[in-house]
Amino acid sequence: MKSDLARSSFRTGGVLVLRLFSLAASLVLTTRILGPVEYGAYVATASLAVVLGIIPNLGSGYLLMARASKEVDAAGDTWRYGWPLTLVIGSVLGGLFVITASALTSGAIGWLSLTVMAAAELILIPLVYLLGFLLQAGHRVATGQLVTWMPIGFRVAAASACLINPRWHGIDAFIVSQALGALFGLGCALGLTSRLVALPWLPRPPTRGELTKGASYAAMHVVSANPAEVDKILAPILLGEHLAGIYSAASRVMGAMITPIAAVLLASQPRLFAHAGEPTADGHRLLIALARLAAILGVISMAILAACAPLVTLLFGASYAETAALLPWTAAAVPFLCLRLAAGTVLVALGKPLERLTFELCGILLLIPLLWIGAHAGNIVGMTLGLTIAEASMAGTGWMRIRQIERHTLRMAQNTQGASGSGSP
C-alpha cells in the first residue's frame, strides 16, 4: 500500500510541481502588471470567486469519488447531471458575485470586467474541476491534476502577453485575458478527458439524494475554502488598499508552499474512500502516515518560505518590499495549514463532510474576530498572527475528531468480531 501511494504521490507531485511553477509564474506576472493597490482589489474579488466557484457543481465531484469504488458507471452517470447543474447554478451565482464584488472593492473594478470574471470562475473553472474528478475517481489522479492545470497554463500565457504589451497593463484587460485562458483550458481539458472517459451529454436531473448529499459536500468545501480566502476578502476593509495588496501577495506565496502535501492528499483520496467503505488496518495506518507527513512537510515548507523571503522583491518588484518583510511571519501558519487540509481531506473521505464543515466553520467564527483584532492591534503583522492562531485551532480540532472516529470504528469492529465469535459453534 505504501509503495503504491508513494508512486501515485510521485506522479501526482510531478504534475503539481508543474502547477506550482505555473502559479508562481502567474503570481510574479500579476504583481508585475498590477501594483499593490490594484492587486489587492483583484485578489479580493478573485478570492470571493474561488469560494463561490465551489458551489456550481454542488459537490457532484466528491459524490462521484464516494460512488466510484462501488459503481462502474458512476463517472458518466454523474457527468450527465453535473455539467448542466454547473451551468445553471454558476449563472445564478454570477449575478450575486458581480453585485458583491463591486461593493467590496468600492467600484474599483468595472461591472463588465466582473461579469467576465464571473463567467470564467463560476462556470468554466468548475467544469474543468468536474472533469478532473472524473479522472481521479478512475484512479487517474495525475491525469486529473493535469486537466485542472490546463487553465492555469493558458492563463500564464495570457498574463505574459499582458506584460509584454504595455497597453494591456490595466486590470480590465488583465481580467479578460485570464477569462480567455480559462476558456482555452476548458477546451483542452474536454478534449483530453473525452479520450479517457465516456462523457454522455444527454442531461438528466439529479435525484433528491444526489442533491442532498452533494449539497453537504459543497457546503463543507465552501466553509473549508473560507479560512484560506476570507482574510484576503477582508484585507481591503481591514488594512486599506495598499497593505491589502502586500498581505495578499504574501498569502498567495504561502498557498503555493502546500503543494507537497496536496500531492499526497490527492493521491491518497481513493484509498481513503475505500477505507471508509470497509475499514482496514492498512487504512488506519494510512491516516497516521498522513498526519505525520502533513506535519513534516509543513515544517519544511515553513523553513523554505522564511529563507526565500528576500527573493520576493527581486521577483515582484520594489513596490512589494513589504511583502518580503512579512513572509517570515506568514510562514508560521504553513504547518497548521497543512495539518488542517489533511484533516479535512480525511474527514470527507471517511464520509463525514459535516464534521469537516463543523470544525472549519467554528474556525472561521474564530478567524474573523482574530483578523479584526490583529489588524487593529498589530496592523499587517497582527492580522497574519491572527490567521496562524485560527489555523492551529482548526488543525488541532480536526485531528482530534478523526482520532475519536477511528477509536469508535475500532470498537465497533471488535464488538462485531466478538459477537460473531460467540455465535460460532
Side-chain angles (χ1 to χ4, degrees):
M1 181 197 70
K2 290 183 178 180
S3 60
D4 290 341
L5 177 59
R7 285 193 295 270
S8 181
S9 298
F10 182 78
R11 290 193 296 268
T12 305
V15 180
L16 288 183
V17 167
L18 175 63
R19 186 188 187 95
L20 174 61
F21 279 108
S22 300
L23 289 173
S26 178
L27 178 58
V28 171
L29 290 167
T30 305
T31 51
R32 288 284 182 177
I33 295 168
L34 306 176
V37 173
E38 283 189 320
Y39 184 75
Y42 173 75
V43 172
T45 55
S47 295
L48 178 61
V50 166
V51 174
L52 292 179
I54 296 168
I55 302 174
N57 58 40
L58 207 63
S60 54
Y62 289 94
L63 188 60
L64 168 62
M65 291 289 293
R67 295 172 56 188
S69 60
K70 302 175 183 178
E71 302 177 30
V72 177
D73 61 345
D77 190 51
T78 303
W79 172 255
R80 285 183 59 205
Y81 88 84
W83 73 263
L85 192 67
T86 301
L87 293 179
V88 173
I89 297 179
S91 299
V92 174
L93 286 176
L96 175 63
F97 167 79
V98 171
I99 296 170
T100 305
S102 181
L104 180 67
T105 60
S106 301
I109 304 177
W111 286 69
L112 181 58
S113 295
L114 290 175
T115 301
V116 170
M117 182 184 287
E121 304 299 335
L122 303 183
I123 297 178
L124 303 182
I125 297 301
L127 285 172
V128 172
Y129 276 100
L130 183 56
L131 293 170
F133 274 116
L134 292 174
L135 293 168
Q136 188 174 331
H139 294 268
R140 302 175 188 269
V141 180
T143 309
Q145 285 303 297
L146 180 63
V147 160
T148 59
W149 167 82
M150 287 177 175
I152 300 174
F154 280 106
R155 284 177 158 181
V156 170
S160 300
C162 286
L163 182 65
I164 294 171
N165 192 333
R167 292 178 298 175
W168 297 348
H169 278 203
I171 192 169
D172 294 327
F174 179 75
I175 288 174
V176 171
S177 75
Q178 296 302 286
L180 289 174
L183 179 61
F184 283 115
L186 173 60
C188 291
L190 277 170
L192 176 59
T193 306
S194 62
R195 291 176 176 270
L196 302 173
V197 179
L199 295 178
W201 288 95
L202 181 64
R204 71 167 179 88
T207 65
R208 183 175 180 178
E210 287 169 336
L211 285 176
T212 303
K213 187 69 172 178
S216 68
Y217 280 113
M220 175 268 301
H221 276 87
V222 167
V223 172
S224 70
N226 266 288
E229 304 296 341
V230 72
D231 56 332
K232 293 180 282 295
I233 295 173
L234 295 176
I237 300 172
L238 296 175
L239 299 172
E241 294 177 343
H242 174 76
L243 286 181
I246 298 300
Y247 177 89
S248 296
S251 183
R252 288 297 191 216
V253 175
M254 177 186 72
M257 298 305 298
I258 65 171
T259 298
I261 190 61
V264 175
L265 294 175
L266 285 167
S268 65
Q269 272 189 335
R271 292 173 178 82
L272 289 172
F273 276 102
H275 174 63
E278 186 177 349
T280 61
D282 282 346
H284 180 71
R285 285 192 289 270
L286 175 60
L287 299 185
I288 297 173
L290 286 176
R292 291 173 178 170
L293 276 171
I296 293 170
L297 293 175
V299 171
I300 293 173
S301 297
M302 176 185 68
I304 294 173
L305 183 59
C308 295
L311 296 176
V312 168
T313 305
L314 178 64
L315 294 173
F316 295 177
S319 59
Y320 288 89
E322 293 166 284
T323 299
L326 181 64
L327 274 179
W329 295 94
T330 306
V334 175
F336 303 116
L337 173 59
C338 290
L339 284 166
R340 194 253 301 173
L341 292 175
T345 299
V346 169
L347 285 172
V348 173
L350 292 179
K352 306 288 185 181
L354 294 180
E355 295 276 358
R356 180 176 186 177
L357 186 150
T358 300
F359 92 78
E360 290 186 324
L361 181 59
C362 291
I364 293 169
L365 295 177
L366 174 65
L367 172 62
I368 293 175
L370 283 175
L371 292 175
W372 186 88
I373 293 170
H376 283 78
N379 208 354
I380 194 168
V381 172
M383 189 167 168
T384 302
L385 292 176
L387 174 67
T388 301
I389 295 170
E391 287 286 358
S393 172
M394 286 184 281
T397 303
W399 280 104
M400 186 181 302
R401 187 66 188 116
I402 291 169
R403 184 179 181 185
Q404 292 171 348
I405 292 171
E406 282 295 289
R407 283 183 171 180
H408 176 71
T409 302
L410 179 60
R411 284 197 300 268
M412 292 292 290
Q414 290 173 340
N415 291 339
T416 301
Q417 291 174 357
S420 61
S422 62
S424 60

